[in-house]
Amino acid sequence: MNINRIDLATLSLFSKVAKTGSITRGAHAAGLAVGAASKRIADLEATLGVALLERHSRGIHITPAGRTLEDHARRILADVSQMVSELADHAAGHAGAIRIWANTSAATQYLPEVVARFLAANPGTRIELEHSTSGAAIIALLQGEADVAVFVSRTPPAGIQSCVFRADQLVLAAPRGHPLAARRSVDFSEVLDYDFICLPPSTSLAIRLREEAEAQERRVPVRFCVKSYDAMCRLVGAGLGVAVLPSAALQTQLAQLPLVQVGLNDPWTARDLLLGVRDFGALPPIARSFVASLCPQGVFVPR
């Protein structure tokens, strides 16, 4: 096998074909004629000595070898994209770029000040902060689309080194005058008797609430689904329901809106936000410096 015959353009084409499930659509996405795209993939199969696609009248099917190549191609192309981005930063006089994917709690409550301090101490650095779900942040990290991910996870998946970034205590936000508002703390089971204001179903918080309710053979009675903690608090303040959210997200709203904070007795409401990387030692220098400023050296736990 001559690896010098494997070029990035063909890997990119194959990745598009695998993603779209069609040589025609993949060729269109790559800006190639269908015949030219088909020949490139056939030549790639000949070079590798293995079938990547099974062709039939209804389209194509990716073989196990093709799935393996797809995974490697995704990482290779992400690394090349990152290389080009970093070199462009150097050409523009920047110190480098750091790609961070973070869940709602981290992106809105903790990272803005952290990023501001780091940029003040490291002028010329470019930080890309992507607001995502915990699951999407983990996937972006594993696929090479992120240098750093911040997420809530009880057990980080294999391939991630992690450390605790922040403790994140979940509490109940209730309107003033609500039956639970005068309590210092309540059990989650009691809260399930009232209408909820929640984040979208795919977020880690919404998933956790749903799992805990199902463990009690209950359901979360969602009345409104909104995209931010601020929106949750405004709806709670208007008396439209209650919400479970991080205490840090609620603090700025307590003086502005007619709502109160009530503690939750359940142990699972004390959760950790984890900071994860694929390989701390392999990070670009500026990203390694950023991560080291948040998690002391030596605390990363390989999974």
Side-chain angles (χ1 to χ4, degrees), residues 83-294:
M83 176 190 71
V84 171
S85 177
E86 289 179 20
L87 291 174
D89 286 328
H90 285 294
H94 298 155
I98 308 170
R99 302 167 300 165
I100 307 170
W101 285 51
N103 75 335
T104 300
S105 292
T108 61
Q109 301 301 315
Y110 302 116
L111 282 173
E113 291 184 2
V114 167
V115 167
R117 286 198 303 269
F118 187 81
L119 291 177
N122 298 270
T125 303
R126 179 167 58 87
I127 291 183
E128 302 171 5
L129 178 57
E130 181 80 18
H131 183 178
S132 72
T133 65
S134 287
I138 290 171
I139 291 171
L141 184 63
L142 291 173
Q143 293 184 348
E145 297 175 17
D147 301 306
V148 180
V150 185
F151 52 90
V152 175
S153 179
R154 282 170 274 184
T155 306
I160 289 181
Q161 298 174 347
S162 65
C163 70
V164 175
F165 171 57
R166 289 287 189 278
D168 198 40
Q169 177 65 50
L170 298 177
V171 297
L172 176 71
R176 291 177 188 167
H178 189 275
L180 299 178
R183 303 271 296 276
R184 291 192 60 182
S185 64
V186 297
D187 293 337
F188 181 62
S189 59
E190 299 177 77
V191 185
L192 292 172
D193 293 331
Y194 301 93
D195 288 335
F196 268 66
I197 316 296
C198 284
L199 291 178
S202 62
T203 61
S204 58
L205 178 55
I207 292 171
R208 189 61 189 272
L209 295 183
R210 190 163 60 247
E211 290 176 346
E212 295 299 333
E214 289 173 353
Q216 300 181 37
E217 298 184 345
R218 304 280 299 277
R219 66 175 186 86
V220 180
V222 179
R223 186 177 187 187
F224 292 101
C225 182
V226 294
K227 294 183 177 181
S228 71
Y229 292 138
D230 287 350
M232 291 173 71
C233 290
R234 288 196 295 272
L235 290 174
V236 172
L240 297 175
V242 298
V244 173
L245 72 167
S247 176
L250 181 59
Q251 297 311 304
T252 57
Q253 305 294 332
L254 290 174
Q256 304 174 35
L257 296 170
L259 46 77
V260 298
Q261 173 176 310
V262 180
L264 289 168
N265 297 324
D266 307 74
W268 57 266
T269 61
R271 60 182 193 167
D272 288 330
L273 290 177
L274 302 183
L275 185 150
V277 299
R278 283 189 295 171
D279 183 350
F280 177 74
L283 286 173
I286 194 67
R288 192 160 60 247
S289 177
F290 175 76
V291 171
S293 72
L294 303 182

Side-chain angles (χ1 to χ4, degrees), residues 13-27 29 60 70:
L13 167 64
F14 180 78
S15 183
K16 289 178 172 62
V17 168
K19 182 177 181 179
T20 61
S22 164
I23 293 178
T24 300
R25 289 192 293 268
I60 62 167
E70 181 187 10

